[in-house]
Amino acid sequence: MPQRIVIGMTGATGQIYGIRALQLLRETEYEVHLILSDAGKINVSQEADYEVSEVSELADVVHDVKNIGAETASGSFRTEGMLIAPCSMKTLSNIAHGSSGDLITRSADVALKERRPLVLMPREKPFNRIHLKNMLEVTDAGAIVFPPFPSFYQGPTDLDDMITRTTARALSQLSVDVEVDEWEGLSSSHSP
């Protein structure tokens, strides 16, 4: 049986994180199932300089967000987990409150009930109290909240490098290893 990863892309800003996850996963043996929301399709074209068809071609299987009967909606369809990148606050709220009105939220609910990794990359700033409470709710249910905050200790050279490293770290929460340089600690010249 193939190892499968589900990628959900919602309408939040930050479509490049979902696209980069798909690009990184193309270099692995995982079977990738993509669920792209209608708002996500709009934002892909607006902010990522990609056509929806180009993004869809990066996945092995593309599911219609309205098809609540797709295979990812069942716990008997085994996966290694799910990444939602970007994750809108609407989607995060729906997951936190068990509202599975579309295939992204239903697939996330399945990941939680089956105790599979669910990684959410919420894109909002600043967070209000409701956002924070919902993040706590999904964390208590077993999800991993992974805001796409870049790290700087490895000396990224450009925005693309920061996006790749951040996305690779999110995928590592699903035990997906992709080729990026690991941090090797501080050199002796940086020690106090």
Side-chain angles (χ1 to χ4, degrees):
M1 179 173 50
Q3 290 185 303
R4 304 176 180 117
I5 297 289
V6 180
I7 302 290
M9 293 174 63
T10 70
T13 188
Q15 296 299 312
I16 192 62
Y17 291 105
I19 293 167
R20 187 57 43 86
L22 291 166
Q23 291 169 336
L24 291 170
L25 285 165
R26 290 289 286 182
E27 301 171 16
T28 70
E29 298 296 318
Y30 289 95
E31 181 181 284
V32 179
H33 290 253
L34 172 64
I35 311 164
L36 184 57
S37 76
D38 292 338
K41 290 176 184 176
I42 293 168
N43 277 357
V44 161
S45 300
Q46 178 181 346
E47 68 178 36
D49 215 18
Y50 285 85
E51 296 298 323
V52 172
S53 60
E54 293 174 293
V55 174
S56 296
E57 288 172 6
L58 294 170
D60 296 298
V61 181
V62 180
H63 300 280
D64 185 333
V65 72
K66 295 178 188 81
N67 184 5
I68 205 68
E71 55 201 349
T72 63
S74 174
S76 65
F77 183 72
R78 292 196 297 216
T79 70
E80 305 306 307
M82 180 175 188
L83 170 67
I84 302 178
C87 183
S88 67
M89 286 301 162
K90 175 184 175 185
T91 299
L92 193 145
S93 176
N94 286 338
I95 295 166
H97 298 283
S99 177
S100 301
D102 66 21
L103 188 58
I104 291 175
T105 53
R106 174 58 190 162
S107 300
D109 190 58
V110 166
L112 291 175
K113 79 180 186 70
E114 297 294 328
R115 307 298 192 263
R116 297 177 186 147
L118 172 63
V119 180
L120 310 175
M121 293 182 81
R123 279 291 304 119
E124 188 63 75
K125 61 182 179 296
F127 297 134
N128 68 36
R129 184 175 177 81
I130 295 167
H131 299 153
L132 294 168
K133 285 174 66 175
N134 287 337
M135 287 183 212
L136 183 58
E137 288 291 327
V138 296
T139 299
D140 287 345
I144 299 164
V145 177
F146 196 101
F149 302 144
S151 59
F152 298 95
Y153 52 83
Q154 289 179 303
T157 56
D158 55 32
L159 183 59
D160 189 63
D161 189 27
M162 286 191 281
I163 291 166
T164 298
R165 287 181 186 283
T166 301
T167 306
R169 286 275 294 127
L171 287 171
S172 74
Q173 300 299 306
L174 299 170
S175 298
V176 174
D177 292 320
V178 294
E179 289 293 320
V180 292
D181 294 334
E182 291 184 0
W183 186 53
E184 296 177 3
L186 294 175
S187 66
S188 60
S189 65
H190 289 97
S191 297

